Amino acid sequence: MQHEKFGEKDFQTIIGNLLRYGVWISLSVAFIGGIVYLMHHGNEIEDYSVFKENDRNIFEVISTVYNGAVQGNGAYLIFVGIILLFLTPVFRVLLSLFSFMLEKDYLYVVITLIVILIIITSISFGFSH
């Protein structure tokens, strides 16, 4: 019995499945959150003339969203779905990084690290004022 190496085709399959299932899972979570939200708040009228902005850091936001989702709050379940949708391509970039490292393709390792740095910087500046 011959032992096969984990190859590029295997990574492409994993990445494809990650993108496919990541989108479906995130949409499902957001859809369920929407149903829960409408069940509890469907008759309310939202005042869109006032913009509500929260000045919190990312750790407070994550904690609040997590606690709200665990309690079954529809709005936070929708937010979890959006976060999962955002994280799907981020995980794709991380998997690509490992793929390039295994292939010893160091040019693409550096390029992928730059992309990851840009993502981290964007998230950091998005939550700080």
Side-chain angles (χ1 to χ4, degrees):
M1 188 168 11
Q2 184 162 341
H3 182 1
E4 291 185 29
K5 271 178 57 175
F6 195 75
E8 181 180 346
K9 186 175 181 185
D10 298 319
F11 259 107
Q12 295 305 320
T13 302
I14 291 171
I15 289 171
N17 286 334
L18 169 74
L19 293 173
R20 183 178 304 110
Y21 297 125
V23 169
W24 279 111
I25 290 169
S26 63
L27 291 176
S28 299
V29 170
F31 183 74
I32 291 168
I35 291 172
V36 170
Y37 182 81
L38 288 175
M39 286 173 43
H40 294 99
H41 305 283
N43 294 329
E44 294 177 12
I45 297 174
E46 187 66 36
D47 181 14
Y48 292 111
S49 65
V50 178
F51 179 72
K52 301 169 194 165
E53 183 178 2
N54 295 322
D55 290 331
R56 298 186 284 185
N57 67 38
I58 190 169
F59 300 111
E60 291 177 37
V61 171
I62 291 171
S63 174
T64 303
V65 169
Y66 174 77
N67 291 330
V70 168
Q71 294 171 3
N73 183 308
Y76 290 112
L77 286 170
I78 294 169
F79 200 57
V80 168
I82 292 169
I83 290 170
L84 289 173
L85 188 62
F86 169 76
L87 288 178
T88 299
V90 173
F91 286 136
R92 188 246 188 268
V93 172
L94 291 173
L95 276 176
S96 296
L97 175 66
F98 293 119
S99 173
F100 296 138
M101 289 171 74
L102 286 176
E103 294 171 13
K104 294 180 172 54
D105 193 343
Y106 298 115
L107 174 62
Y108 283 103
V109 167
V110 170
I111 292 170
T112 307
L113 285 171
I114 291 170
V115 170
I116 291 169
L117 181 64
I118 291 169
I119 291 170
I120 291 170
T121 305
S122 299
I123 291 171
S124 299
F125 285 120
F127 280 100
S128 64
H129 293 277

